[in-house]
Amino acid sequence: MHPGTASRALNPNARGEVSRQTVRRVERAAHLLGYLPNTVARGLRTSRSLVVALVVPDITNPLFPYIVRGAEQVLVEAGYTLVLTDTNNDPGRERSQVAAMRAGGVDGFIVATARWQDPVLDELAAAAVPTVLVNRRNQSCSFPYFGTDDRHGIDLCVDHLKQLGHRSILHLAGPADTSTGRERASAFRQAMRARRLPTARAVVNCSSFTEQAGAAAVNTVLAQGFSFTAIVAGNDLLAIGALEALTARGIECPRDVSITGYNDVDFMRRLTPAFTTVRVPLNKMGALAARTLLGWLGGTEPELGAKVLLPVEFMHRGTTARAAR
Amino acid sequence: MHPGTASRALNPNARGEVSRQTVRRVERAAHLLGYLPNTVARGLRTSRSLVVALVVPDITNPLFPYIVRGAEQVLVEAGYTLVLTDTNNDPGRERSQVAAMRAGGVDGFIVATARWQDPVLDELAAAAVPTVLVNRRNQSCSFPYFGTDDRHGIDLCVDHLKQLGHRSILHLAGPADTSTGRERASAFRQAMRARRLPTARAVVNCSSFTEQAGAAAVNTVLAQGFSFTAIVAGNDLLAIGALEALTARGIECPRDVSITGYNDVDFMRRLTPAFTTVRVPLNKMGALAARTLLGWLGGTEPELGAKVLLPVEFMHRGTTARAAR
DNA sequence: ACGCTTCCCACAATCGATTGTGGGCTTGAT
DNA sequence: ATCAAGCCCACAATCGATTGTGGGAAGCGT
């Protein structure tokens, strides 16, 4: 029995070039021996691995598991394997992880770690590696991007707060090296100006999308004596951090200060008070990104710089109330 | 220039067999061409990939990201790459994912999906694939296991509740096909008996470690007319589900019923009331498992069936109070 | 100048599966 | 019985890196 023949017998596409009884013999033997075709060797020859890598910045941020789920669903159905790598918000790790995956022969990338200036993405673009961006994008927009309508979401927040009578509104902006940080901040300024609300000193940058950063930002602002009656946070974790910092100083939410979050991760509705926030379709984002990548791997190259912004939904809950006085 | 020579020049171990200037020439050329050694081809020859797979049952369960983090830290430091695969609690997916990873040439597995009877683990054992178990183990105990002292943790819960005057205590047991489900249930019975508390009808099985399952279990028990003043939940998500089901019926926690969770995932302390639960060192579990696997891959085979149970810490918060009446 | 050692490098086999090609056997027709 | 056609299968090259081995060149001593 020649290995070439066995290979054809196991491969549904080449099944026709082998007699039916040989196919049966091979299948029986394969099953008996517990044979599973060595993907490494196959990948070496065919330069396809049926593996897609999903790169996330922080797996403990509850935002990402749902994106993962969405992507996973689609990829597994298509016979692909999803491998996940967490960069822990470290660009160095991102670089080395992506390099490792690339050398390991993954067919494509779904990247959720994009920074505004991202050399790793530039490399992927230069090497023409099939890649799609999810949740965050980079400036040069070299790949299809799947995100949410941040501009609209933030506008909904500001509008809501204004209708409650708030005028001094603070924005906790995410890191300036992320598109979500930048765009939400920009959207905030625009929304404020459009309603003739003051924007001076109203935006404060946070170093990361974490509770610690949110709390630190609020403490800084309070220490500087800037007063506000509402906070539009760049995401949910920042909002939670802000609430903690306020509570620690005896400032009550929503009595004294209203807060809005962003993303509506699973437990936001369970906190007390339940958070007013913006719900984004995380599952769908992941699924769409995966589907597009699969299409690309199947031969239909997407238009470069395509941006898909999914609709958001404003969730009015307990952290926002009519402005005092 | 012969590829063999270039290979030696790039490989620190074989560097001595090549003249220094050749090394420099090769390094320069490699850098110039942006060469990165094809891991697939290397893996084919050396049958080592420096990749470890971590298999989790449900990435949206906040328990797992912290285990991932712990393992990641250790593996990356050692020059390994961690790939994560989520089985979505589906044994079929587990089987195919593990097979895919194995064919893909990963060096070893960290498995967090173990079921009590787990054919996938049996296969791994039969094939002598370096594997360690974390969080859950299987019955046959064919691999080193890193978990927590469930027996002690549950005992702490029961003890705490008894001291608060509770006698009718309900246990929401996790799935019987998981070691954590079984052992916590067994520990619960033992702890109750040791204190001469009634165990009849006091244990109810939940189909999965989810809020939905927890709520459903409580609803079932209530419908059956069994009355209780406290609940020891098999994990945090079950506890949250239980709280929801009770609240929906106007039963207040902790006024009417006390609840304890298990694991102390990050947001338990933020809920209102903050959950009384058992904190387990998730990071350390992941790190230890990874370290042991690395040792195995380095040649020091661990004793089969070694069990490492990490100490737990009881966190008394707001969901437990003195029994009414 | 010759022979010896030492040091580099090139050659080629190897890992396991895929795939284009050619030869051999069977089958059927004349 | 002979030849043509057709179907299977075996052969061998290939993917890219690793690694044992042998040979050639340089250096040194006598």
Side-chain angles (χ1 to χ4, degrees):
Chain A
M1 169 59 55
H2 196 276
T5 306
S7 170
R8 286 180 233 265
L10 267 352
N11 185 338
N13 300 328
R15 193 71 58 82
E17 309 166 28
V18 177
S19 76
R20 204 166 309 165
Q21 46 174 324
T22 310
V23 169
R24 256 197 289 275
R25 262 199 326 146
V26 170
E27 275 176 346
R28 209 149 358 142
H31 184 266
L32 200 72
L33 297 171
Y35 169 83
L36 33 97
N38 183 325
T39 311
V40 180
R42 170 183 294 162
L44 179 59
R45 177 64 216 250
T46 62
S47 63
R48 297 192 355 145
S49 60
L50 295 181
V51 174
V52 166
L54 172 43
V55 191
V56 300
D58 176 7
I59 191 65
T60 65
N61 181 338
L63 164 66
F64 294 105
Y66 291 91
I67 297 181
V68 173
R69 266 294 161 78
E72 201 171 39
Q73 194 70 33
V74 170
L75 291 170
V76 168
E77 266 177 22
Y80 276 74
T81 301
L82 177 66
V83 304
L84 206 59
T85 80
D86 176 9
T87 67
N88 209 346
N89 273 319
D90 174 347
R93 281 268 279 276
E94 181 191 348
R95 173 183 226 93
S96 65
Q97 299 281 61
V98 167
M101 294 290 106
R102 205 137 81 80
V106 305
D107 292 338
F109 285 89
I110 304 176
V111 175
T113 56
R115 284 161 291 137
W116 191 241
Q117 304 283 349
D118 198 324
V120 175
L121 291 180
D122 297 340
E123 276 178 38
L124 287 172
V129 179
T131 302
V132 300
L133 308 183
V134 70
N135 188 49
R136 301 179 186 173
R137 66 183 184 82
N138 63 340
Q139 181 176 23
S140 53
C141 226
S142 26
F143 293 113
Y145 165 67
F146 299 85
T148 63
D149 195 343
D150 285 357
R151 204 157 281 279
H152 184 221
I154 293 293
D155 195 73
L156 289 172
C157 292
V158 172
D159 189 63
H160 172 72
L161 291 171
K162 167 147 197 219
Q163 293 201 12
L164 290 175
H166 294 274
R167 292 190 46 83
S168 296
I169 307 177
L170 182 67
H171 177 54
L172 301 186
D177 63 349
T178 66
S179 63
T180 44
R182 301 177 76 97
E183 288 195 353
R184 288 172 198 167
S186 151
F188 174 78
R189 287 201 188 83
Q190 181 179 330
M192 291 290 277
R193 274 197 300 270
R195 290 174 181 77
R196 312 228 175 284
L197 297 174
T199 61
R201 299 178 61 193
V203 175
V204 50
N205 286 306
C206 303
S207 56
S208 66
F209 279 118
T210 59
E211 303 153 52
Q212 292 75 26
V218 166
N219 285 329
T220 305
V221 171
L222 288 176
Q224 289 174 350
F226 181 77
S227 77
F228 51 86
T229 66
I231 296 179
V232 172
N235 87 342
D236 288 337
L237 296 181
L238 291 175
I240 292 177
L243 175 60
E244 275 190 349
L246 292 176
T247 305
R249 301 197 174 217
I251 303 174
E252 252 183 52
C253 171
R255 194 194 63 188
D256 306 319
V257 169
S258 290
I259 306 181
T260 66
Y262 206 100
N263 283 337
D264 195 21
V265 299
D266 191 50
F267 57 86
M268 293 304 274
R269 64 187 171 85
R270 285 197 222 297
L271 299 177
T272 307
F275 266 77
T276 297
T277 182
V278 176
R279 162 163 290 180
V280 307
L282 298 170
N283 251 280
K284 195 173 291 179
M285 267 171 55
L288 268 180
R291 219 178 294 284
T292 303
L293 182 60
L294 282 181
W296 193 344
L297 295 178
T300 67
E301 198 158 336
E303 351 174 13
L304 283 185
K307 290 186 216 168
V308 177
L309 299 186
L310 278 63
V312 298
E313 186 184 357
F314 187 75
M315 309 298 285
H316 182 191
R317 300 203 188 99
T319 54
T320 51
R322 186 152 290 283
R325 143 200 23 158
Chain B
M1 170 60 56
H2 195 275
T5 307
S7 170
R8 286 180 234 262
L10 267 352
N11 185 337
N13 300 329
R15 193 69 59 80
E17 309 168 29
V18 177
S19 77
R20 207 166 306 163
Q21 47 174 324
T22 311
V23 169
R24 257 196 289 274
R25 265 200 321 150
V26 171
E27 275 175 346
R28 208 148 0 142
H31 185 266
L32 199 72
L33 297 171
Y35 169 84
L36 33 96
N38 184 325
T39 311
V40 180
R42 169 183 296 162
L44 179 58
R45 179 62 216 253
T46 63
S47 63
R48 298 192 353 146
S49 60
L50 295 182
V51 174
V52 165
L54 172 42
V55 191
V56 301
D58 176 7
I59 192 66
T60 65
N61 181 337
L63 163 68
F64 294 105
Y66 292 90
I67 297 181
V68 173
R69 266 294 161 76
E72 203 171 38
Q73 193 71 33
V74 170
L75 290 170
V76 168
E77 265 178 25
Y80 276 73
T81 301
L82 177 67
V83 305
L84 207 60
T85 80
D86 176 11
T87 67
N88 208 346
N89 272 319
D90 174 348
R93 280 268 278 279
E94 180 190 347
R95 173 181 226 95
S96 65
Q97 300 281 61
V98 167
M101 295 289 106
R102 203 136 83 80
V106 305
D107 291 338
F109 285 89
I110 304 176
V111 175
T113 56
R115 283 161 291 136
W116 191 241
Q117 303 284 349
D118 198 324
V120 175
L121 291 181
D122 295 341
E123 276 178 37
L124 287 173
V129 180
T131 302
V132 300
L133 307 182
V134 71
N135 188 49
R136 300 179 186 173
R137 66 184 184 83
N138 62 341
Q139 180 175 23
S140 52
C141 225
S142 26
F143 294 112
Y145 164 66
F146 299 85
T148 64
D149 194 344
D150 285 356
R151 205 156 282 279
H152 184 219
I154 292 295
D155 195 74
L156 289 173
C157 292
V158 173
D159 189 63
H160 172 73
L161 291 170
K162 166 147 197 219
Q163 293 203 9
L164 289 175
H166 294 274
R167 292 190 49 82
S168 297
I169 307 177
L170 183 68
H171 176 56
L172 302 185
D177 63 350
T178 66
S179 62
T180 45
R182 301 177 77 95
E183 288 196 352
R184 289 173 197 168
S186 150
F188 174 79
R189 287 200 188 83
Q190 181 178 330
M192 293 289 279
R193 273 197 302 270
R195 291 174 181 76
R196 314 226 174 283
L197 297 176
T199 60
R201 298 178 62 193
V203 175
V204 49
N205 286 306
C206 302
S207 56
S208 65
F209 279 117
T210 59
E211 303 152 53
Q212 291 76 28
V218 166
N219 284 330
T220 304
V221 171
L222 288 176
Q224 291 174 349
F226 181 76
S227 77
F228 50 87
T229 66
I231 295 179
V232 172
N235 86 342
D236 288 336
L237 296 180
L238 291 175
I240 292 177
L243 175 60
E244 275 190 350
L246 293 176
T247 305
R249 301 196 174 216
I251 303 174
E252 251 182 54
C253 169
R255 194 194 62 190
D256 306 321
V257 170
S258 290
I259 306 181
T260 66
Y262 206 99
N263 282 338
D264 194 21
V265 300
D266 192 49
F267 58 86
M268 294 302 275
R269 63 187 173 87
R270 286 197 219 298
L271 300 177
T272 306
F275 267 78
T276 296
T277 182
V278 176
R279 163 163 289 179
V280 307
L282 298 171
N283 252 280
K284 194 173 291 180
M285 266 170 58
L288 268 179
R291 218 179 294 284
T292 303
L293 182 58
L294 283 181
W296 194 342
L297 295 177
T300 67
E301 198 158 335
E303 354 175 11
L304 284 183
K307 290 186 214 166
V308 177
L309 299 185
L310 277 61
V312 298
E313 187 183 356
F314 187 74
M315 308 298 286
H316 181 193
R317 300 205 188 98
T319 53
T320 51
R322 187 152 289 284
R325 145 199 19 157

